[in-house]
Amino acid sequence: MLSVSDFDLERRYLHENVWPELQRHCAAAGVDLEVLDIQMGNDLDSAYDPNAFELQLKEIEQCYQESLGCFLVVLIGNKYKPCPLPRCIEATEFDPIYEKAQEAGFDVSLLTQWYSLNANMVPPAYTIRSLHSKNNRFSLRRPSDVPKRVFETQTTELVEEEEQVLKMIQYGARVAHQEGIINQNKDTRQKRYFMSAVYNQLDFALGLSNTSSQRIICVIRQIEANDPCILRNILAEEFLFLRQFLWHYVRQNLSATESSVFRGNELILPEILRIANFPVQILSFPTGTS
């Protein structure tokens, strides 16, 4: 679970080297290991398509329901954004957000281009329009008949416009909340306007049950080096740690009721850190060279 551009080398390494090996090992033990990369095949981060993002949350829930052990591996880097647009905003919230954004001089016509009122919902709410209604040639995957350069231009234009819409919503929500108009006793509802895609997904996964955190692996990495040689050394070290950890996890704990963390050659107890205000099990990689 991560954005399309993040951890590209790590994802490729996992798919080409780690997962096939682990699947063979699990098969020999009578366990079926199925791997789903929810960003695979996308040219654009699904955070920019709220409907696709909603489908990814359903895929995470399905993995939770069908898995006996670990159901989610999260790779977390330094980047917090993108933040997905809310798929649905109740009219009692949307109207004050619209009003406050308009008072601040934003081009609120974008809000009505992106959202439409569904009066049949209870309570009435504004739902986001599909990407195809914005541009019938655009999708998360580049169509075969669209040149890459044209697709990239469309993507850039859409992302820039979506970020303007998000900026308006966040501003309007913040001001309306400060003035006591919306979400005075609903911090979770207010927070969703500012949560990143990964935060949303992790929050959703942890909320599936009280024991979800015992079945989630979070890999946190911070790389502060700019030298390509240093980066290669760090990535090589990271691949080794990631492979060792996953192998240990599968071999020692196929039921995944608990997990442990590898750091070097020393096996230590699970670390509980607070990431996005939630205690999660962490595999933390060193940031220096080996």
PDB file of all heavy atoms in Angstrom, residues 56 77 99 121 123 131 158 221 242 248 260 274 289:
ATOM      1  N   GLN A  56     -10.164   0.427  -3.488  1.00  0.00           N
ATOM      2  CA  GLN A  56      -8.980  -0.096  -2.809  1.00  0.00           C
ATOM      3  C   GLN A  56      -9.268  -0.378  -1.340  1.00  0.00           C
ATOM      4  O   GLN A  56      -8.774  -1.364  -0.781  1.00  0.00           O
ATOM      5  CB  GLN A  56      -7.819   0.887  -2.951  1.00  0.00           C
ATOM      6  CG  GLN A  56      -7.244   0.943  -4.354  1.00  0.00           C
ATOM      7  CD  GLN A  56      -5.991   1.779  -4.434  1.00  0.00           C
ATOM      8  OE1 GLN A  56      -5.624   2.471  -3.487  1.00  0.00           O
ATOM      9  NE2 GLN A  56      -5.317   1.728  -5.567  1.00  0.00           N
ATOM     10  N   GLY A  77       7.195   6.139   3.393  1.00  0.00           N
ATOM     11  CA  GLY A  77       8.382   6.956   3.183  1.00  0.00           C
ATOM     12  C   GLY A  77       8.228   8.329   3.804  1.00  0.00           C
ATOM     13  O   GLY A  77       7.445   8.525   4.736  1.00  0.00           O
ATOM     14  N   GLU A  99     -19.428  28.151   1.070  1.00  0.00           N
ATOM     15  CA  GLU A  99     -19.610  29.561   1.438  1.00  0.00           C
ATOM     16  C   GLU A  99     -18.302  30.182   1.924  1.00  0.00           C
ATOM     17  O   GLU A  99     -17.941  31.293   1.515  1.00  0.00           O
ATOM     18  CB  GLU A  99     -20.679  29.668   2.525  1.00  0.00           C
ATOM     19  CG  GLU A  99     -20.938  31.089   2.997  1.00  0.00           C
ATOM     20  CD  GLU A  99     -21.955  31.151   4.122  1.00  0.00           C
ATOM     21  OE1 GLU A  99     -22.661  30.145   4.346  1.00  0.00           O
ATOM     22  OE2 GLU A  99     -22.029  32.211   4.780  1.00  0.00           O
ATOM     23  N   MET A 121     -30.176  10.872  -1.385  1.00  0.00           N
ATOM     24  CA  MET A 121     -29.453  10.283  -0.260  1.00  0.00           C
ATOM     25  C   MET A 121     -30.042  10.789   1.050  1.00  0.00           C
ATOM     26  O   MET A 121     -30.625  11.871   1.114  1.00  0.00           O
ATOM     27  CB  MET A 121     -27.963  10.635  -0.337  1.00  0.00           C
ATOM     28  CG  MET A 121     -27.242  10.029  -1.520  1.00  0.00           C
ATOM     29  SD  MET A 121     -25.460  10.390  -1.519  1.00  0.00           S
ATOM     30  CE  MET A 121     -24.925   9.455  -0.074  1.00  0.00           C
ATOM     31  N   PRO A 123     -28.768  11.508   4.870  1.00  0.00           N
ATOM     32  CA  PRO A 123     -29.210  12.853   4.483  1.00  0.00           C
ATOM     33  C   PRO A 123     -28.667  13.230   3.103  1.00  0.00           C
ATOM     34  O   PRO A 123     -27.733  12.582   2.610  1.00  0.00           O
ATOM     35  CB  PRO A 123     -28.602  13.730   5.583  1.00  0.00           C
ATOM     36  CG  PRO A 123     -27.365  13.003   5.988  1.00  0.00           C
ATOM     37  CD  PRO A 123     -27.699  11.542   5.903  1.00  0.00           C
ATOM     38  N   LEU A 131     -14.038  10.409 -12.918  1.00  0.00           N
ATOM     39  CA  LEU A 131     -12.990  10.993 -13.752  1.00  0.00           C
ATOM     40  C   LEU A 131     -13.428  11.067 -15.206  1.00  0.00           C
ATOM     41  O   LEU A 131     -13.117  12.013 -15.915  1.00  0.00           O
ATOM     42  CB  LEU A 131     -11.716  10.153 -13.654  1.00  0.00           C
ATOM     43  CG  LEU A 131     -10.800  10.391 -12.458  1.00  0.00           C
ATOM     44  CD1 LEU A 131      -9.554   9.534 -12.596  1.00  0.00           C
ATOM     45  CD2 LEU A 131     -10.409  11.852 -12.343  1.00  0.00           C
ATOM     46  N   LEU A 158      -5.152  17.457 -14.617  1.00  0.00           N
ATOM     47  CA  LEU A 158      -6.156  16.958 -13.683  1.00  0.00           C
ATOM     48  C   LEU A 158      -5.676  17.057 -12.240  1.00  0.00           C
ATOM     49  O   LEU A 158      -6.422  17.471 -11.354  1.00  0.00           O
ATOM     50  CB  LEU A 158      -6.517  15.514 -14.022  1.00  0.00           C
ATOM     51  CG  LEU A 158      -7.590  14.911 -13.110  1.00  0.00           C
ATOM     52  CD1 LEU A 158      -8.661  14.210 -13.920  1.00  0.00           C
ATOM     53  CD2 LEU A 158      -6.979  13.940 -12.109  1.00  0.00           C
ATOM     54  N   ARG A 221      10.731   4.018   6.220  1.00  0.00           N
ATOM     55  CA  ARG A 221      12.086   4.312   5.760  1.00  0.00           C
ATOM     56  C   ARG A 221      12.251   5.806   5.550  1.00  0.00           C
ATOM     57  O   ARG A 221      11.378   6.467   4.999  1.00  0.00           O
ATOM     58  CB  ARG A 221      12.363   3.597   4.443  1.00  0.00           C
ATOM     59  CG  ARG A 221      13.784   3.797   3.944  1.00  0.00           C
ATOM     60  CD  ARG A 221      13.886   3.540   2.462  1.00  0.00           C
ATOM     61  NE  ARG A 221      13.112   4.512   1.708  1.00  0.00           N
ATOM     62  CZ  ARG A 221      12.851   4.388   0.409  1.00  0.00           C
ATOM     63  NH1 ARG A 221      13.254   3.339  -0.244  1.00  0.00           N
ATOM     64  NH2 ARG A 221      12.157   5.319  -0.227  1.00  0.00           N
ATOM     65  N   LEU A 242      14.386  -6.438   4.458  1.00  0.00           N
ATOM     66  CA  LEU A 242      13.004  -6.745   4.105  1.00  0.00           C
ATOM     67  C   LEU A 242      12.832  -8.235   3.833  1.00  0.00           C
ATOM     68  O   LEU A 242      11.879  -8.860   4.291  1.00  0.00           O
ATOM     69  CB  LEU A 242      12.597  -5.926   2.880  1.00  0.00           C
ATOM     70  CG  LEU A 242      11.126  -5.993   2.459  1.00  0.00           C
ATOM     71  CD1 LEU A 242      10.224  -5.604   3.618  1.00  0.00           C
ATOM     72  CD2 LEU A 242      10.887  -5.077   1.271  1.00  0.00           C
ATOM     73  N   HIS A 248      11.269 -14.500   8.085  1.00  0.00           N
ATOM     74  CA  HIS A 248      11.058 -14.845   9.492  1.00  0.00           C
ATOM     75  C   HIS A 248       9.571 -14.851   9.823  1.00  0.00           C
ATOM     76  O   HIS A 248       9.079 -15.745  10.513  1.00  0.00           O
ATOM     77  CB  HIS A 248      11.785 -13.844  10.389  1.00  0.00           C
ATOM     78  CG  HIS A 248      11.449 -14.009  11.842  1.00  0.00           C
ATOM     79  ND1 HIS A 248      11.971 -15.024  12.615  1.00  0.00           N
ATOM     80  CD2 HIS A 248      10.623 -13.305  12.652  1.00  0.00           C
ATOM     81  CE1 HIS A 248      11.478 -14.931  13.838  1.00  0.00           C
ATOM     82  NE2 HIS A 248      10.664 -13.899  13.888  1.00  0.00           N
ATOM     83  N   SER A 260       7.537 -10.348  14.902  1.00  0.00           N
ATOM     84  CA  SER A 260       8.769  -9.836  15.474  1.00  0.00           C
ATOM     85  C   SER A 260       9.487  -9.013  14.429  1.00  0.00           C
ATOM     86  O   SER A 260       9.122  -9.009  13.265  1.00  0.00           O
ATOM     87  CB  SER A 260       9.656 -10.991  15.944  1.00  0.00           C
ATOM     88  OG  SER A 260       8.995 -11.737  16.943  1.00  0.00           O
ATOM     89  N   ARG A 274       4.018   5.304  17.383  1.00  0.00           N
ATOM     90  CA  ARG A 274       2.785   6.000  17.042  1.00  0.00           C
ATOM     91  C   ARG A 274       2.955   6.656  15.682  1.00  0.00           C
ATOM     92  O   ARG A 274       3.614   7.672  15.533  1.00  0.00           O
ATOM     93  CB  ARG A 274       2.431   7.044  18.098  1.00  0.00           C
ATOM     94  CG  ARG A 274       2.185   6.431  19.467  1.00  0.00           C
ATOM     95  CD  ARG A 274       1.522   7.423  20.404  1.00  0.00           C
ATOM     96  NE  ARG A 274       0.162   7.733  19.983  1.00  0.00           N
ATOM     97  CZ  ARG A 274      -0.882   6.962  20.239  1.00  0.00           C
ATOM     98  NH1 ARG A 274      -0.728   5.828  20.881  1.00  0.00           N
ATOM     99  NH2 ARG A 274      -2.084   7.324  19.844  1.00  0.00           N
ATOM    100  N   THR A 289      24.817   4.015   5.668  1.00  0.00           N
ATOM    101  CA  THR A 289      25.348   2.970   4.799  1.00  0.00           C
ATOM    102  C   THR A 289      25.824   1.807   5.633  1.00  0.00           C
ATOM    103  O   THR A 289      26.117   1.930   6.814  1.00  0.00           O
ATOM    104  CB  THR A 289      26.525   3.509   3.974  1.00  0.00           C
ATOM    105  OG1 THR A 289      27.529   3.981   4.871  1.00  0.00           O
ATOM    106  CG2 THR A 289      26.081   4.631   3.076  1.00  0.00           C
TER     107      THR A 289
END
